Amino acid sequence: MASQKRFRSLNRVLQYLSDENYIRLHYFRRFGKMPDLEKPETYNEKLQWLKLNYRPPGRATWVDKYAVKEKVARIVGQEHVIPTLAVFASAADIDFQMLPSSFVLKCTHDSGGVIAVREKNEADVKAIRRRMAAALRQDFYRVAREPEYMDVEPRIIAEPFLEDSRQGQLRDYKFFCFDGEVKAMFVASDRLSGDTKFDYFDRDFNSLDIRQAYPRSQTAPPKPLAFDQMLMISEKLSAGHPHIRVDLYEIDGRVYFGELTFYHFAGFVPFCPPETDKEWGTWLDLPNAVNPARKGRVGRR
């Protein structure tokens, strides 16, 4: 208990640090070493460099889970966008009566704050409101200093509850795109059960011996039926970005957009084996810096 209190106290102190100092210290806590932010080489170091130095206008819309839908529809087609049932400004505003018997609630500005309701009549409405209210209060920029989240309006959106009938779950297919080209991806399985598994693959769906944050499945998930279409959609959505992760779903052979992520795990989760961090770092060509606050302190590699 005492150690948890010290950890929370330390986190509160860290929140008041500058972006650069926060990133350096948080990176040290996770990797046991300081990041090289002047001449980064690894993938995770380069993600930190991008947070500090690459801040072109308009990026917030890409990570806003509601606003991005219009962009996605324009680029790859409305048929790949999950419909929005409703938008709520607060947890108290959630109108459960107007929602269908099964649905999903998520916030526009955070990660992981998703509530899937299979049967509305069995749901704990008060608990859902409490969880969504807590999620709305979360300042996601403060968590990992991802600058895009400073400009995302916190809201709650409701979407249909979707599940692939063939697999009996909704797997996430997450594609790592570098300058508009898919280089690798992973499949997130069993997330609603609390027994999450991550399985990494190359762009040809050959299994990769990579572990990060969660264990691999005992039996690798099958290749999606629409895998080639997923590659095409990912590369269309990632065009013009030095690096972005495109998250998609496959539901009975149809591809749906999930979300976009500029900084995979905020660049704070080590790979196993660690050589992956170096290899992926060679894939990420850093753009020219777009942050006057660090002018004269950064270079291009």
Side-chain angles (χ1 to χ4, degrees), residues 99-147:
L99 293 174
S101 59
S102 59
F103 56 89
V104 171
L105 296 175
K106 62 179 68 172
C107 286
T108 58
H109 72 299
D110 76 343
S111 177
V114 178
I115 297 179
V117 176
R118 290 179 178 270
E119 179 48 61
K120 182 172 63 173
N121 292 335
E122 299 175 4
D124 186 336
V125 171
K126 291 183 179 179
I128 291 174
R129 291 194 196 276
R130 285 196 299 268
R131 285 181 58 187
M132 298 312 297
L136 280 176
R137 291 193 298 269
Q138 176 87 305
D139 185 342
F140 207 64
Y141 157 70
R142 288 287 180 184
V143 171
R145 301 305 170 93
E146 300 181 27

Short mmCIF file of all heavy atoms in Angstrom, two decimals, residues 99-147:
data_model
loop_
_atom_site.label_atom_id
_atom_site.label_comp_id
_atom_site.label_asym_id
_atom_site.label_seq_id
_atom_site.Cartn_x
_atom_site.Cartn_y
_atom_site.Cartn_z
N LEU A 99 -30.67 3.85 -26.81
CA LEU A 99 -29.65 2.95 -27.34
C LEU A 99 -30.24 1.56 -27.55
O LEU A 99 -31.17 1.14 -26.85
CB LEU A 99 -28.46 2.88 -26.39
CG LEU A 99 -27.64 4.16 -26.25
CD1 LEU A 99 -26.58 4.01 -25.17
CD2 LEU A 99 -27.00 4.55 -27.58
N PRO A 100 -29.70 0.79 -28.50
CA PRO A 100 -30.21 -0.56 -28.75
C PRO A 100 -29.86 -1.51 -27.60
O PRO A 100 -29.19 -1.12 -26.64
CB PRO A 100 -29.50 -0.96 -30.05
CG PRO A 100 -28.26 -0.13 -30.08
CD PRO A 100 -28.63 1.18 -29.43
N SER A 101 -30.28 -2.75 -27.72
CA SER A 101 -30.06 -3.71 -26.63
C SER A 101 -28.59 -4.02 -26.41
O SER A 101 -28.17 -4.38 -25.31
CB SER A 101 -30.83 -5.00 -26.91
OG SER A 101 -30.40 -5.58 -28.13
N SER A 102 -27.77 -3.90 -27.44
CA SER A 102 -26.33 -4.08 -27.30
C SER A 102 -25.62 -2.92 -28.00
O SER A 102 -26.06 -2.46 -29.06
CB SER A 102 -25.87 -5.41 -27.89
OG SER A 102 -26.19 -5.50 -29.26
N PHE A 103 -24.55 -2.44 -27.39
CA PHE A 103 -23.85 -1.28 -27.93
C PHE A 103 -22.48 -1.17 -27.28
O PHE A 103 -22.15 -1.91 -26.34
CB PHE A 103 -24.65 0.00 -27.69
CG PHE A 103 -24.98 0.24 -26.24
CD1 PHE A 103 -24.12 0.94 -25.41
CD2 PHE A 103 -26.17 -0.26 -25.70
CE1 PHE A 103 -24.42 1.15 -24.07
CE2 PHE A 103 -26.48 -0.07 -24.36
CZ PHE A 103 -25.60 0.64 -23.55
N VAL A 104 -21.70 -0.21 -27.77
CA VAL A 104 -20.37 0.06 -27.23
C VAL A 104 -20.28 1.55 -26.92
O VAL A 104 -20.74 2.39 -27.70
CB VAL A 104 -19.26 -0.32 -28.24
CG1 VAL A 104 -17.89 0.17 -27.76
CG2 VAL A 104 -19.23 -1.83 -28.42
N LEU A 105 -19.70 1.88 -25.78
CA LEU A 105 -19.42 3.27 -25.41
C LEU A 105 -17.92 3.48 -25.34
O LEU A 105 -17.19 2.62 -24.84
CB LEU A 105 -20.05 3.61 -24.05
CG LEU A 105 -21.57 3.58 -23.94
CD1 LEU A 105 -21.99 3.82 -22.49
CD2 LEU A 105 -22.20 4.62 -24.86
N LYS A 106 -17.47 4.60 -25.87
CA LYS A 106 -16.04 4.94 -25.80
C LYS A 106 -15.89 6.45 -25.78
O LYS A 106 -16.79 7.18 -26.22
CB LYS A 106 -15.27 4.34 -26.98
CG LYS A 106 -15.71 4.85 -28.34
CD LYS A 106 -14.91 4.24 -29.48
CE LYS A 106 -15.20 2.77 -29.66
NZ LYS A 106 -14.55 2.23 -30.89
N CYS A 107 -14.76 6.90 -25.28
CA CYS A 107 -14.47 8.33 -25.28
C CYS A 107 -13.66 8.70 -26.52
O CYS A 107 -12.90 7.88 -27.04
CB CYS A 107 -13.70 8.73 -24.03
SG CYS A 107 -14.72 8.79 -22.54
N THR A 108 -13.84 9.93 -26.97
CA THR A 108 -13.16 10.37 -28.19
C THR A 108 -11.69 10.66 -27.98
O THR A 108 -10.94 10.76 -28.95
CB THR A 108 -13.83 11.65 -28.71
OG1 THR A 108 -13.77 12.66 -27.68
CG2 THR A 108 -15.28 11.40 -29.10
N HIS A 109 -11.25 10.78 -26.73
CA HIS A 109 -9.93 11.34 -26.46
C HIS A 109 -8.99 10.42 -25.69
O HIS A 109 -7.90 10.85 -25.32
CB HIS A 109 -10.09 12.62 -25.64
CG HIS A 109 -10.50 12.36 -24.22
ND1 HIS A 109 -11.68 11.73 -23.91
CD2 HIS A 109 -9.87 12.61 -23.05
CE1 HIS A 109 -11.77 11.62 -22.59
NE2 HIS A 109 -10.69 12.15 -22.05
N ASP A 110 -9.40 9.18 -25.42
CA ASP A 110 -8.52 8.34 -24.61
C ASP A 110 -8.30 7.00 -25.28
O ASP A 110 -8.75 6.76 -26.40
CB ASP A 110 -9.07 8.17 -23.20
CG ASP A 110 -10.24 7.19 -23.14
OD1 ASP A 110 -10.83 6.91 -24.21
OD2 ASP A 110 -10.57 6.73 -22.03
N SER A 111 -7.60 6.11 -24.59
CA SER A 111 -7.32 4.78 -25.11
C SER A 111 -7.67 3.76 -24.04
O SER A 111 -7.27 3.91 -22.88
CB SER A 111 -5.84 4.66 -25.49
OG SER A 111 -5.53 3.36 -25.92
N GLY A 112 -8.40 2.74 -24.42
CA GLY A 112 -8.72 1.68 -23.48
C GLY A 112 -10.00 1.88 -22.71
O GLY A 112 -10.50 0.93 -22.08
N GLY A 113 -10.58 3.09 -22.75
CA GLY A 113 -11.80 3.34 -22.00
C GLY A 113 -13.04 2.93 -22.78
O GLY A 113 -13.90 3.77 -23.07
N VAL A 114 -13.15 1.66 -23.11
CA VAL A 114 -14.26 1.16 -23.92
C VAL A 114 -15.14 0.26 -23.06
O VAL A 114 -14.63 -0.61 -22.34
CB VAL A 114 -13.74 0.37 -25.14
CG1 VAL A 114 -14.91 -0.19 -25.95
CG2 VAL A 114 -12.88 1.27 -26.02
N ILE A 115 -16.44 0.45 -23.13
CA ILE A 115 -17.39 -0.40 -22.44
C ILE A 115 -18.28 -1.06 -23.48
O ILE A 115 -18.97 -0.38 -24.25
CB ILE A 115 -18.25 0.40 -21.45
CG1 ILE A 115 -17.37 1.00 -20.35
CG2 ILE A 115 -19.32 -0.50 -20.83
CD1 ILE A 115 -18.14 1.83 -19.35
N ALA A 116 -18.25 -2.39 -23.53
CA ALA A 116 -19.08 -3.15 -24.45
C ALA A 116 -20.27 -3.73 -23.68
O ALA A 116 -20.09 -4.45 -22.69
CB ALA A 116 -18.28 -4.27 -25.10
N VAL A 117 -21.46 -3.41 -24.11
CA VAL A 117 -22.68 -3.87 -23.45
C VAL A 117 -23.38 -4.87 -24.38
O VAL A 117 -23.88 -4.51 -25.44
CB VAL A 117 -23.62 -2.68 -23.14
CG1 VAL A 117 -24.92 -3.18 -22.53
CG2 VAL A 117 -22.93 -1.69 -22.21
N ARG A 118 -23.38 -6.12 -23.95
CA ARG A 118 -24.04 -7.16 -24.76
C ARG A 118 -25.55 -7.17 -24.56
O ARG A 118 -26.29 -7.47 -25.50
CB ARG A 118 -23.47 -8.54 -24.39
CG ARG A 118 -22.03 -8.77 -24.84
CD ARG A 118 -21.55 -10.14 -24.40
NE ARG A 118 -20.20 -10.41 -24.85
CZ ARG A 118 -19.89 -10.98 -26.01
NH1 ARG A 118 -20.86 -11.35 -26.83
NH2 ARG A 118 -18.64 -11.20 -26.34
N GLU A 119 -26.00 -6.87 -23.34
CA GLU A 119 -27.42 -6.88 -23.05
C GLU A 119 -27.74 -5.72 -22.12
O GLU A 119 -27.37 -5.72 -20.95
CB GLU A 119 -27.83 -8.21 -22.40
CG GLU A 119 -29.30 -8.29 -22.05
CD GLU A 119 -30.21 -7.85 -23.19
OE1 GLU A 119 -30.16 -8.50 -24.27
OE2 GLU A 119 -30.95 -6.85 -23.01
N LYS A 120 -28.40 -4.72 -22.67
CA LYS A 120 -28.68 -3.49 -21.91
C LYS A 120 -29.48 -3.76 -20.65
O LYS A 120 -29.24 -3.14 -19.61
CB LYS A 120 -29.42 -2.50 -22.82
CG LYS A 120 -29.71 -1.17 -22.16
CD LYS A 120 -30.26 -0.16 -23.16
CE LYS A 120 -31.57 -0.57 -23.77
NZ LYS A 120 -32.16 0.50 -24.62
N ASN A 121 -30.42 -4.67 -20.70
CA ASN A 121 -31.26 -4.93 -19.54
C ASN A 121 -30.49 -5.52 -18.36
O ASN A 121 -30.98 -5.51 -17.23
CB ASN A 121 -32.41 -5.87 -19.92
CG ASN A 121 -33.41 -5.22 -20.88
OD1 ASN A 121 -33.52 -4.00 -20.91
ND2 ASN A 121 -34.09 -6.03 -21.66
N GLU A 122 -29.29 -6.04 -18.61
CA GLU A 122 -28.48 -6.63 -17.55
C GLU A 122 -27.33 -5.70 -17.14
O GLU A 122 -26.54 -6.05 -16.26
CB GLU A 122 -27.91 -7.97 -18.01
CG GLU A 122 -28.98 -9.01 -18.35
CD GLU A 122 -28.40 -10.29 -18.91
OE1 GLU A 122 -27.15 -10.39 -18.96
OE2 GLU A 122 -29.18 -11.19 -19.29
N ALA A 123 -27.25 -4.54 -17.76
CA ALA A 123 -26.13 -3.64 -17.51
C ALA A 123 -26.32 -2.86 -16.21
O ALA A 123 -27.45 -2.50 -15.84
CB ALA A 123 -25.98 -2.67 -18.68
N ASP A 124 -25.20 -2.58 -15.56
CA ASP A 124 -25.19 -1.73 -14.36
C ASP A 124 -25.02 -0.28 -14.83
O ASP A 124 -23.89 0.18 -15.05
CB ASP A 124 -24.05 -2.15 -13.43
CG ASP A 124 -24.08 -1.42 -12.09
OD1 ASP A 124 -24.64 -0.32 -12.03
OD2 ASP A 124 -23.50 -1.95 -11.12
N VAL A 125 -26.12 0.40 -15.00
CA VAL A 125 -26.10 1.75 -15.56
C VAL A 125 -25.28 2.70 -14.70
O VAL A 125 -24.49 3.51 -15.23
CB VAL A 125 -27.54 2.27 -15.74
CG1 VAL A 125 -27.53 3.75 -16.12
CG2 VAL A 125 -28.27 1.45 -16.80
N LYS A 126 -25.43 2.63 -13.38
CA LYS A 126 -24.68 3.52 -12.50
C LYS A 126 -23.18 3.30 -12.63
O LYS A 126 -22.40 4.25 -12.66
CB LYS A 126 -25.13 3.33 -11.06
CG LYS A 126 -26.55 3.83 -10.77
CD LYS A 126 -26.89 3.68 -9.30
CE LYS A 126 -28.30 4.21 -9.02
NZ LYS A 126 -28.65 4.06 -7.58
N ALA A 127 -22.78 2.04 -12.71
CA ALA A 127 -21.36 1.73 -12.85
C ALA A 127 -20.82 2.23 -14.19
O ALA A 127 -19.69 2.74 -14.27
CB ALA A 127 -21.13 0.22 -12.71
N ILE A 128 -21.61 2.09 -15.23
CA ILE A 128 -21.20 2.57 -16.55
C ILE A 128 -21.01 4.08 -16.53
O ILE A 128 -20.02 4.61 -17.05
CB ILE A 128 -22.22 2.15 -17.62
CG1 ILE A 128 -22.18 0.64 -17.84
CG2 ILE A 128 -21.95 2.89 -18.94
CD1 ILE A 128 -23.26 0.12 -18.77
N ARG A 129 -21.94 4.79 -15.92
CA ARG A 129 -21.81 6.25 -15.84
C ARG A 129 -20.55 6.64 -15.06
O ARG A 129 -19.85 7.58 -15.46
CB ARG A 129 -23.05 6.86 -15.18
CG ARG A 129 -24.32 6.78 -16.01
CD ARG A 129 -25.39 7.69 -15.43
NE ARG A 129 -26.71 7.39 -15.95
CZ ARG A 129 -27.18 7.85 -17.12
NH1 ARG A 129 -26.43 8.63 -17.87
NH2 ARG A 129 -28.41 7.54 -17.52
N ARG A 130 -20.28 5.92 -13.96
CA ARG A 130 -19.08 6.23 -13.18
C ARG A 130 -17.82 6.01 -14.01
O ARG A 130 -16.90 6.86 -14.00
CB ARG A 130 -19.03 5.37 -11.92
CG ARG A 130 -20.00 5.78 -10.83
CD ARG A 130 -19.63 5.14 -9.50
NE ARG A 130 -19.67 3.68 -9.57
CZ ARG A 130 -20.75 2.96 -9.27
NH1 ARG A 130 -21.87 3.56 -8.89
NH2 ARG A 130 -20.70 1.65 -9.33
N ARG A 131 -17.77 4.91 -14.73
CA ARG A 131 -16.57 4.62 -15.54
C ARG A 131 -16.39 5.63 -16.66
O ARG A 131 -15.27 6.08 -16.92
CB ARG A 131 -16.66 3.20 -16.11
CG ARG A 131 -16.41 2.09 -15.10
CD ARG A 131 -16.50 0.73 -15.75
NE ARG A 131 -15.56 0.58 -16.85
CZ ARG A 131 -15.54 -0.48 -17.66
NH1 ARG A 131 -16.42 -1.47 -17.49
NH2 ARG A 131 -14.65 -0.55 -18.64
N MET A 132 -17.46 6.00 -17.31
CA MET A 132 -17.36 6.96 -18.40
C MET A 132 -17.03 8.35 -17.88
O MET A 132 -16.29 9.12 -18.53
CB MET A 132 -18.63 6.98 -19.24
CG MET A 132 -18.97 5.66 -19.93
SD MET A 132 -17.56 4.90 -20.82
CE MET A 132 -17.21 6.12 -22.07
N ALA A 133 -17.55 8.71 -16.72
CA ALA A 133 -17.23 10.01 -16.13
C ALA A 133 -15.74 10.07 -15.80
O ALA A 133 -15.09 11.09 -16.02
CB ALA A 133 -18.06 10.24 -14.87
N ALA A 134 -15.19 8.97 -15.26
CA ALA A 134 -13.76 8.92 -14.95
C ALA A 134 -12.93 9.01 -16.22
O ALA A 134 -11.89 9.69 -16.27
CB ALA A 134 -13.44 7.64 -14.19
N ALA A 135 -13.40 8.34 -17.29
CA ALA A 135 -12.67 8.38 -18.56
C ALA A 135 -12.67 9.79 -19.14
O ALA A 135 -11.67 10.25 -19.70
CB ALA A 135 -13.29 7.39 -19.54
N LEU A 136 -13.78 10.49 -19.02
CA LEU A 136 -13.85 11.86 -19.54
C LEU A 136 -12.88 12.79 -18.80
O LEU A 136 -12.36 13.74 -19.39
CB LEU A 136 -15.27 12.41 -19.42
CG LEU A 136 -16.28 11.97 -20.47
CD1 LEU A 136 -17.66 12.54 -20.12
CD2 LEU A 136 -15.86 12.41 -21.87
N ARG A 137 -12.67 12.53 -17.53
CA ARG A 137 -11.76 13.38 -16.74
C ARG A 137 -10.29 13.11 -17.07
O ARG A 137 -9.42 13.92 -16.73
CB ARG A 137 -11.99 13.17 -15.25
CG ARG A 137 -13.33 13.70 -14.75
CD ARG A 137 -13.36 13.74 -13.23
NE ARG A 137 -13.21 12.42 -12.64
CZ ARG A 137 -14.23 11.62 -12.33
NH1 ARG A 137 -15.47 12.01 -12.59
NH2 ARG A 137 -14.02 10.45 -11.78
N GLN A 138 -10.02 12.00 -17.71
CA GLN A 138 -8.64 11.64 -18.01
C GLN A 138 -8.03 12.61 -19.01
O GLN A 138 -8.57 12.84 -20.09
CB GLN A 138 -8.59 10.21 -18.59
CG GLN A 138 -7.21 9.76 -19.03
CD GLN A 138 -6.43 9.14 -17.89
OE1 GLN A 138 -6.25 9.77 -16.85
NE2 GLN A 138 -5.96 7.94 -18.09
N ASP A 139 -6.89 13.20 -18.63
CA ASP A 139 -6.14 14.08 -19.54
C ASP A 139 -5.10 13.22 -20.23
O ASP A 139 -4.01 12.99 -19.70
CB ASP A 139 -5.49 15.21 -18.75
CG ASP A 139 -4.80 16.23 -19.65
OD1 ASP A 139 -4.53 15.90 -20.82
OD2 ASP A 139 -4.53 17.35 -19.18
N PHE A 140 -5.45 12.74 -21.42
CA PHE A 140 -4.58 11.76 -22.07
C PHE A 140 -3.26 12.37 -22.52
O PHE A 140 -2.25 11.67 -22.64
CB PHE A 140 -5.31 11.13 -23.26
CG PHE A 140 -4.82 9.75 -23.58
CD1 PHE A 140 -4.99 8.72 -22.66
CD2 PHE A 140 -4.20 9.47 -24.78
CE1 PHE A 140 -4.53 7.44 -22.94
CE2 PHE A 140 -3.74 8.20 -25.07
CZ PHE A 140 -3.91 7.19 -24.15
N TYR A 141 -3.24 13.66 -22.76
CA TYR A 141 -1.96 14.32 -23.06
C TYR A 141 -1.01 14.19 -21.88
O TYR A 141 0.17 13.91 -22.05
CB TYR A 141 -2.19 15.80 -23.39
CG TYR A 141 -0.97 16.65 -23.17
CD1 TYR A 141 0.14 16.53 -24.01
CD2 TYR A 141 -0.91 17.55 -22.11
CE1 TYR A 141 1.28 17.30 -23.79
CE2 TYR A 141 0.22 18.31 -21.89
CZ TYR A 141 1.32 18.18 -22.73
OH TYR A 141 2.44 18.94 -22.50
N ARG A 142 -1.51 14.36 -20.67
CA ARG A 142 -0.67 14.29 -19.48
C ARG A 142 -0.11 12.90 -19.26
O ARG A 142 0.95 12.73 -18.66
CB ARG A 142 -1.46 14.73 -18.25
CG ARG A 142 -1.74 16.21 -18.19
CD ARG A 142 -0.50 16.99 -17.86
NE ARG A 142 -0.73 18.42 -17.79
CZ ARG A 142 0.23 19.31 -17.60
NH1 ARG A 142 1.48 18.91 -17.44
NH2 ARG A 142 -0.05 20.60 -17.57
N VAL A 143 -0.81 11.89 -19.72
CA VAL A 143 -0.39 10.50 -19.48
C VAL A 143 0.92 10.18 -20.17
O VAL A 143 1.79 9.53 -19.60
CB VAL A 143 -1.49 9.53 -19.94
CG1 VAL A 143 -1.00 8.09 -19.89
CG2 VAL A 143 -2.73 9.70 -19.07
N ALA A 144 1.06 10.61 -21.42
CA ALA A 144 2.25 10.22 -22.20
C ALA A 144 2.82 11.34 -23.05
O ALA A 144 3.72 11.11 -23.84
CB ALA A 144 1.91 9.02 -23.09
N ARG A 145 2.28 12.56 -22.89
CA ARG A 145 2.74 13.74 -23.62
C ARG A 145 2.64 13.59 -25.14
O ARG A 145 3.52 14.02 -25.88
CB ARG A 145 4.17 14.09 -23.19
CG ARG A 145 4.28 14.36 -21.69
CD ARG A 145 3.30 15.44 -21.23
NE ARG A 145 3.24 15.56 -19.78
CZ ARG A 145 3.97 16.40 -19.05
NH1 ARG A 145 4.83 17.20 -19.65
NH2 ARG A 145 3.84 16.43 -17.75
N GLU A 146 1.53 12.98 -25.56
CA GLU A 146 1.23 12.93 -26.99
C GLU A 146 0.51 14.23 -27.32
O GLU A 146 -0.64 14.44 -26.92
CB GLU A 146 0.37 11.72 -27.32
CG GLU A 146 1.06 10.41 -26.95
CD GLU A 146 0.23 9.19 -27.30
OE1 GLU A 146 -0.59 9.26 -28.24
OE2 GLU A 146 0.41 8.16 -26.62
N PRO A 147 1.15 15.15 -28.05
CA PRO A 147 0.63 16.52 -28.18
C PRO A 147 -0.72 16.62 -28.87
O PRO A 147 -1.48 17.56 -28.60
CB PRO A 147 1.72 17.23 -29.00
CG PRO A 147 2.44 16.15 -29.72
CD PRO A 147 2.41 14.96 -28.79
#
